[in-house]
Amino acid sequence: MNVRLRYAPSPTGHLHIGGARTALFNYLFAKHAGGTFILRIEDTDIERNVDRAAEEFAANLRWLGISWDEGAFVGGDYGPYVCTKRLDIYKEYVEKLLAQGLAYRCYCSAEELQQERETQLQTGSMVQYSGSCSHLTEEQRRAFEDEGRTPVIRFRVPSHTVSFNDMIRGTLSFESSSVGGDFVIVKSNGIPAYNFACTVDDHLMQISHVIRGEEHISNTPRQLYIYEAFGWEPPIFGHVSLILGEDGKKLSKRDESIVQFIEQYREMGYLPDALFNFLALLGWSPGGKEEILTKQQLIESFEFDRVSKSGAFFDSVRLAWMNGHYLKEMSAEDLSVLVEPYIRSYVEGKEWFTKEWLIEFTSLFKDKITCLSEIPAIGLMFLVDQVAPDEEAKSSLSLPHVADLLQVFIEQARVVDEWTPDGMKALVKAVQTASNVKGKDLFMPLRAAITGQLHGPDLNRSLVLLGKERVIKRAQTTLAQFIHIE
RNA sequence: GGCCCCAUGGUCAAGCGGUUAAGACACCGCCCUUUCACGGCGGGAACAGGGGUUCGAGUCCCCUUGGGGUCACCA
């Protein structure tokens, strides 16, 4: 069997972490089996379609490291890969169903159906379409048409039970009565509804495995009936558990406790490999003890027997840890390229800003952060000309020996030729000798005076990065503004 | 409410009849360190409950409880 999987988002919004994970599982399985991964755009809800959304999906998928062999934007032998460009195809299959009496036109209005549902809900009975239009005579039909009603087309649901073997959950079976009656396959605007388009497309595109979210379990029996009506072999289904929000419920796009869109992670400076790794491990486990895995390793070990049946809470703290890990593993040089946009507004036009400076700056902070957008805040002391000491730093500067210490430091700094790590070591040593201050009493006030904080990267490297001019200037400013000599 | 799915620490999870019930994140402690981090070492912490089956059950079956999904001319 040719292994062919597809991810079929509807272009109604941004790429969501849940959607990305579904795409990822499809991708991993396809690649693992040496098969084909396909991107299809399910745009049958023309009201909700968002301009450029499909392009955005594609861009974010690519950024994440998920590429498709066939489908929208890349083409292939089973196209078109966009539903609204396949209308003629659907029409042909609807006609077949209509001709065989397997589908029929329904003239019930939205209001009438709504009414029906409410009554059913009140009486506690099952909510389902009554089938009132299922056996209309030609006359009745004409009468409805004359009233100006535009029909939908409904699929006549057979009365037998359907079942299928889910890759993740085993055998699932459904009574015919539980699918809610004859369902709509073509909407009154002439466009097919999801269950129909999806089934026709999956069959025509020869999809072998359908991996999708658990919320689609209840759609599966409907689709199975359609496969059956056409005499088609259904694909193998696998329903992945949901990603849960803090409240333990399916992540709602309106839930603000969790950052939900891939685009946002990208903007925050998460690395695609980290997100890829994290998402792959959300609801699946390779079994071993290793958690940091490359795309290649993930592809090699991906199997459905370890896909979890229960929902998984999206733990952003864990994602932050993982991203931090990937950040540490990157070289400062490579990472500096990604860091630059985050500090551009500070460093633009500064004479001290060079490629070497950027790399050193990156190397000073890359082990301390969780994502790149934290960089400007944590590295601010190096990005601005002047710094004011924070409360902790002020108290360190208030020690009685600090005025003399800074005087000595400035004098010694002025005569340093080699503004290098070794030079800084020598400088601090010289200050120690000349001032007769050592240890914390020496380092802390210096750090406070130069960086405005008591915490930060290695002092010598910090001095080098700031450069002679800024260091002396800051020491002078601190001396003048924040040291009060009694 | 009907139908369906799920159930191991706070979180992600290993386990597929016999284990002292892995590992990771988070948390706590210690070490490293002129600071903050990083790193290293160590610690607390789980099989929802009840019945079976079996010599033996986290693992298999049933019930209860709890959570979730879905009931559209949305996907």
Side-chain angles (χ1 to χ4, degrees), chain A residues 44-50 189:
Chain A
T44 51
D45 188 346
I46 52 173
E47 310 278 309
R48 291 204 308 162
N49 284 341
V50 173
N189 63 6

Side-chain angles (χ1 to χ4, degrees), chain A residues 10 40-47 49 82-95 97 151-155 183-201 204 226 230:
Chain A
S10 65
R40 184 171 75 217
I41 303 299
E42 217 124 280
D43 60 347
T44 51
D45 188 346
I46 52 173
E47 310 278 309
N49 284 341
V82 176
C83 290
T84 49
K85 291 185 178 153
R86 300 173 60 81
L87 265 20
D88 291 344
I89 300 173
Y90 304 126
K91 196 173 177 197
E92 177 189 340
Y93 289 94
V94 173
E95 295 298 341
L97 256 23
V152 297
I153 298 174
R154 286 183 185 270
F155 180 81
F183 56 92
V184 174
I185 56 174
V186 179
K187 303 183 266 190
S188 59
N189 63 6
I191 294 176
Y194 167 71
N195 282 119
F196 186 73
C198 175
T199 302
V200 170
D201 290 344
L204 260 24
I226 297 176
F230 285 117

Side-chain angles (χ1 to χ4, degrees), chain A residues 345-353 357 379-388 449-452 465-478 481:
Chain A
S345 63
Y346 293 98
V347 300
E348 230 161 18
K350 300 290 186 189
E351 72 287 351
W352 43 261
F353 181 69
W357 187 94
L380 191 65
M381 61 178 74
F382 296 97
L383 301 173
V384 295
D385 290 331
Q386 287 295 335
V387 286
I450 309 300
T451 71
L465 189 66
L466 279 166
K468 187 171 182 176
E469 197 178 322
R470 277 201 289 174
V471 166
I472 291 174
K473 193 121 185 264
R474 285 185 185 187
Q476 287 172 328
T477 309
T478 304
Q481 294 184 343

Side-chain angles (χ1 to χ4, degrees), chain A residues 335-350:
Chain A
L335 194 56
S336 69
V337 177
L338 303 179
V339 165
E340 198 268 343
Y342 291 88
I343 60 167
R344 187 173 298 150
S345 63
Y346 293 98
V347 300
E348 230 161 18
K350 300 290 186 189

Side-chain angles (χ1 to χ4, degrees), chain A residues 215-228:
Chain A
E215 71 269 28
H216 283 292
I217 290 182
S218 58
N219 278 320
T220 312
R222 299 193 185 95
Q223 297 178 195
L224 250 14
Y225 283 128
I226 297 176
Y227 280 104
E228 188 183 280

Side-chain angles (χ1 to χ4, degrees), chain A residues 106-120 127-133 152 154 182 184:
Chain A
C106 165
Y107 294 86
C108 297
S109 69
E111 295 73 39
E112 287 162 347
L113 293 169
Q114 183 62 29
Q115 185 84 301
E116 189 175 299
R117 265 195 295 277
E118 274 166 26
T119 312
Q120 288 169 340
V127 176
Q128 69 172 79
Y129 174 60
S130 66
S132 58
C133 293
V152 297
R154 286 183 185 270
D182 298 343
V184 174

Side-chain angles (χ1 to χ4, degrees), chain A residues 321-338:
Chain A
W321 160 76
M322 193 172 278
N323 196 56
H325 181 90
Y326 274 84
L327 251 17
K328 286 179 196 83
E329 285 196 336
M330 271 184 85
S331 72
E333 184 162 3
D334 290 344
L335 194 56
S336 69
V337 177
L338 303 179

